[in-house]
Every structure is written in structure tokens, then in C-alpha cells.
Amino acid sequence: MRTLLIQCAQAVADNDVRSANELLKQIRWHSSPFGDKHQRLSHCFAYGLESRLLGTGSPLYAALAAKNMSDVRILKAYKLFISAFPFMKTSNFFATQMILEVTNKANRVHIIHFGISHGFQWLPLVQHLSKRPGGPPKLHITGIDHPNPGFRPAARFRCLLDDTILENSPRDAVLNLIKRINPVIFIHGIENGTYNSPFLVLRFREALFHFSALFDMFEANVPREDPDRMVFERDIFGNEVLNVIACEGSERTERPETYKQWQARHLRAGFRQLPLNQEIMKKITAKVKLYYHKEFFVDENSQWMLQGWKGRAILALSCWKPA
């Protein structure tokens, strides 16, 4: 099936409508949003290819994105994602512990959170600070969100346009802004991805590998008939894949970079990387091993905490401060 999908992507890229439609028929015959992980993945990618072929990708994505984020079904689907997989809980624990470490004697704590969403993730920090010996510090939290908010904070930087679209990259502009703020610590979480090529087939191939891991993760941890799983696969993964395949230029907002690419951006912007706290790393690793599927992993490389599934790094976090 993967071969058929890549052949179809090549036909679409070549504007070979006849071949693309023939391949889509074959893919549709073997795909389904209700089947196994391979059938669901194929259905998702076939929809993106079909939308690109019809030229409906950009308006369709915009309409779906605007609708989805206010949908109660999406809220329930994200609740499933948070409970079934360790990524959000471990990321929040990591951030909370690092902030507690660098502010243990501070009288005032100001957190600026890019991509805050609802802000529920800060409740544990508030509880910890409230119990601090000698009394809690004054706490101020400033939330800055993307105009099209979702529930995955790491997605915010991923959706900023990059150097291939604008000469003055918004990604570098945000890093420069953070540097001017001069924080005691800058904790950066990113979705680790390689599907940001300007060439459709290469982008398609890399996205196929990336989302294969995500669909496999759902298959191993959530029953197929779970309605929230189907919503997440269709309305979250499906919309992301639609944008990756069917949108171009500034309308393609799904533009992930690897943690190594972000490492270079941080250094160019004048940040100094802070070492990972090994005690925190041990606690996170132990929690993931104890409570989650054995194929989830926590690792570190170049002072980034990596989280992933079956050897593929999906999320990465690191700590920085202006040099």
C-alpha cells in the first residue's frame, strides 16, 4: 500500500491526472477509516492526494481547521491522546520541574507561555509553589497563542512560516523576541519532523513515515472502535496530512523541523543551551516505563529530551538562556 501511495503522489506531482485517479481507485479499495492502522493511514493520505488533485485542499483545510478547534468532539479526542500517551504529561512534568529548580528562591515568577491553550498544564506548578516553605512567590502567567489555537503547544512553532517563504523567518523573529525578554530559562518543546520539503513527493514520503508511527501508536494502545480515536485520526491527523499534501506556499502551515535544525536556530539567535537535569530525566524515564506501553521511550541527544515510539523521536524538549 505504501508503494501505491508514493506512486500516486508522484503522479499528482507530475500532473498525470489519469494515472493518479487510477491509483487512487486502487488505494480506496484497500483503505478505510474504520479498518486497521494501514487502512486508516491509507485513507487519510488518499484524501489529501484527492484534495490536491481537485484543487480543494487550501479552502477545505481552512474550513475544517476553523470548525474543529471549537468542537467538543475534538476536546474529547485530545483527552484520549493525553491519557493514552505519555508525551503531554511528561513534557509538562519536565517544564514544571525545571521552572521549580531555577525559581526556588525567587520572590516573583513570571511565565510567558507561547501556545498556552487553556493553561491547565500549570496547575501542578501552582500547587507546588503554594506549598513552598516561607510562602509562595508572586506568580504571573502570560499566555500567547496562535490565531488558530489547538491543544498541542509544540505545534505552534511548527506552524510558523520558515525561510523558504519569507526572507526574514518568523521562527527566528520569535527567538529574537524571546532573547530580548531575557528569561532565566527558555524551555522549548517541538514536534520532531522531517516533512517540510518544498518538493511534494519527498514531503509526502517523509510524512508517510512519520504518520505511520502515529497510527501504529494508536493501534497498539487504543481499541479500533473507540470513537475518540477515530475523531483524532480523522480530524487532527487528517487535517494535518491534508495541509502537508494539498497546500502550498503560505497556506501550507504544517512545517515541522527536527530538533537538530532548531538547535542550529537557537545557537544562531544567541542562546546558550542548558544541560538536562539527570534526576528529572530518571523520574520521567521511570514513569514512562512503569505506566505506558514498552515501545514508548525517553532518550536524550545533544541535551534534548526525546520522546517517541519504536525508535522514532516524535517530541523533543530542551532548555536555553540568552548567551
Side-chain angles (χ1 to χ4, degrees), residues 288-306:
V288 171
K289 285 184 177 180
L290 182 61
Y291 296 113
Y292 295 95
H293 193 288
K294 65 180 182 180
E295 294 292 354
F296 286 112
F297 72 87
V298 177
D299 200 358
E300 58 181 279
N301 188 15
S302 302
Q303 298 301 325
W304 287 79
M305 182 181 82
L306 308 179

Side-chain angles (χ1 to χ4, degrees), residues 5 33 49 58 93 98-99 105 130 136 150 169 179 188 199 264 310:
L5 284 165
L49 288 168
S58 293
F93 179 81
M98 290 302 298
I99 291 171
K105 295 180 180 179
S130 69
S169 169
K179 185 185 178 186
H188 192 183
F199 305 107
K310 290 187 177 180

Side-chain angles (χ1 to χ4, degrees), residues 219-231:
E219 183 85 347
N221 292 277
V222 184
R224 290 179 187 173
E225 64 274 11
D226 189 301
D228 296 328
R229 171 185 168 179
M230 288 189 273
V231 168

Side-chain angles (χ1 to χ4, degrees), residues 223-241:
R224 290 179 187 173
E225 64 274 11
D226 189 301
D228 296 328
R229 171 185 168 179
M230 288 189 273
V231 168
F232 204 100
E233 290 173 334
R234 182 190 67 226
D235 295 343
I236 306 301
F237 290 159
N239 283 3
E240 291 177 9
V241 169

Side-chain angles (χ1 to χ4, degrees), residues 30-41 43 215 219 223-225 229-230 233:
H30 297 287
S31 65
S32 167
F34 310 107
D36 63 21
K37 60 185 179 182
H38 303 294
Q39 292 171 315
R40 294 178 186 218
L41 178 76
H43 176 84
F215 275 81
E219 183 85 347
R224 290 179 187 173
E225 64 274 11
R229 171 185 168 179
M230 288 189 273
E233 290 173 334

Side-chain angles (χ1 to χ4, degrees), residues 19 29 88 99 170-171 180 182 191 203 208 247 268:
S19 296
W29 183 257
M88 296 300 292
I99 291 171
R171 302 182 183 211
R180 290 198 301 273
N182 195 28
E191 289 195 31
R203 188 167 78 235
L208 193 58
C247 300
R268 286 200 307 268

Side-chain angles (χ1 to χ4, degrees), residues 41 78 94 112 164 194 198 235 240 244 273 303 305:
L41 178 76
Y78 270 106
F94 176 88
I112 302 175
T164 63
T194 56
D235 295 343
E240 291 177 9
V244 170
Q273 193 170 21
Q303 298 301 325
M305 182 181 82

